[in-house]
Amino acid sequence: MPILEGEGVTKYFGGLAAVSSVDFSVYQGEVVGLIGPNGAGKTTLFNLISGALVPQSGAVKFKAENIAGLKPHRICKKGVARTFQSVKIFANMPALENTLLGALFGKPNNTAAADALREATELLEFVGLSAARATPAKDLTLANQKRLEVARALATKPELLLLDELMAGLNPTEVAQAMELVTRIRDRGITVFMIEHVMKAIMSVCDRIMVLHHGVKIAEGTPQEIATSKTVVEVYLGE
């Protein structure tokens, strides 16, 4: 059974279908990529999964429970965490306190302050930010701000992590480091569903890839199948 499943998920903005009758599934332990041109509906789909938006129709199921329409904090506490296309961190708070917020408030059960502090410290080390624990988030590089957002999401102890363009704006070295981080997150037993435009990353780290175009799913398959799909090449990669 999929850990995450969408059935006929649809969202309109005015008369425009941003996401139209999309079916999808993500299985435990997978890294699944979501690609498509700008405006394809990728982030809208993530917003529907995470509770920032409510679908007009269709179901979003996490571990067989329909979570469509639940508030974001309730979905987070069920085990779904996310990052954002534009980094959303608490700019004036140190890296450690940013991560601590996830450990204290993002889980279904209360965590003792000492345990939360230990978890936050361990996660900063995991993402490579130990040396920056006292640094205000706004003073970190973009790559490190993205790592901090990942650490805060991981602090909620998710079973499923939604990554929205983790590698956007990064240089080739930072992209390689981010790819390694995704692999290590999967190695911790966390399922990953990721939106990405960096094709090298998507093709390297994903087990399966789903393609949206104008809100419609036009293809799904292994990286090799997607790379050789005439439909995908025409609408996304160019001739």
Side-chain angles (χ1 to χ4, degrees):
M1 180 181 291
I3 189 171
L4 179 71
E5 193 171 14
E7 299 172 352
V9 179
T10 299
K11 179 66 181 179
Y12 282 87
F13 294 115
L16 175 71
V19 174
S20 181
S21 299
V22 172
D23 297 332
F24 62 89
S25 58
V26 178
Y27 288 83
Q28 181 81 44
E30 279 192 307
V31 177
V32 176
L34 180 59
I35 68 172
N38 288 328
K42 304 181 299 296
T43 294
T44 299
L45 184 60
F46 268 26
N47 286 336
L48 292 166
I49 294 167
S50 64
L53 294 172
V54 179
Q56 255 98 5
S57 60
V60 177
K61 295 180 180 178
F62 178 65
K63 299 200 295 188
E65 176 190 356
N66 189 6
I67 58 172
L70 294 183
K71 297 293 187 187
H73 71 277
R74 288 187 59 198
I75 292 173
C76 178
K77 289 185 176 187
K78 286 182 181 295
V80 181
R82 71 169 298 184
T83 67
F84 294 86
Q85 192 173 354
S86 298
V87 180
K88 296 190 187 326
I89 47 179
F90 296 97
N92 294 313
M93 291 174 64
L96 181 62
E97 289 184 15
N98 266 273
T99 312
L100 197 54
L101 285 174
L104 285 170
F105 301 113
K107 293 184 282 200
N109 301 311
N110 291 335
T111 303
D115 292 336
L117 182 60
R118 188 180 67 252
E119 290 169 11
T121 302
E122 185 271 323
L123 284 167
L124 283 183
E125 184 175 347
F126 176 74
V127 302
L129 290 179
S130 280
R133 54 182 289 166
T135 304
K138 68 176 188 289
D139 294 336
L140 298 173
T141 64
L142 174 63
N144 283 342
Q145 287 181 354
K146 286 174 178 269
R147 285 172 174 268
L148 177 59
E149 196 175 42
V150 169
R152 188 181 61 196
L154 291 175
T156 69
K157 291 279 181 71
E159 293 179 61
L160 172 69
L161 179 61
L162 308 176
L163 296 175
D164 194 345
E165 293 198 40
L166 176 64
M167 299 168 206
L170 305 189
N171 66 39
T173 299
E174 292 164 342
V175 167
Q177 292 168 343
M179 288 165 59
E180 184 209 356
L181 180 59
V182 172
T183 301
R184 290 194 293 120
I185 289 168
R186 193 250 295 271
D187 290 345
R188 286 173 81 112
I190 298 166
T191 304
V192 178
F193 193 14
M194 60 189 291
I195 295 170
E196 199 51 72
H197 283 295
V198 180
M199 295 309 295
K200 174 188 171 186
I202 278 283
M203 293 296 169
S204 297
V205 304
C206 292
D207 302 299
R208 285 190 298 122
I209 298 171
M210 184 170 121
V211 189
L212 288 184
H213 187 50
H214 296 314
V216 177
K217 185 171 84 171
I218 61 165
E220 184 175 359
T222 65
Q224 181 62 27
E225 288 167 343
I226 294 302
T228 56
S229 162
K230 190 170 186 297
T231 304
V232 175
V233 169
E234 286 176 356
V235 305
Y236 187 62
L237 301 174
E239 289 295 349

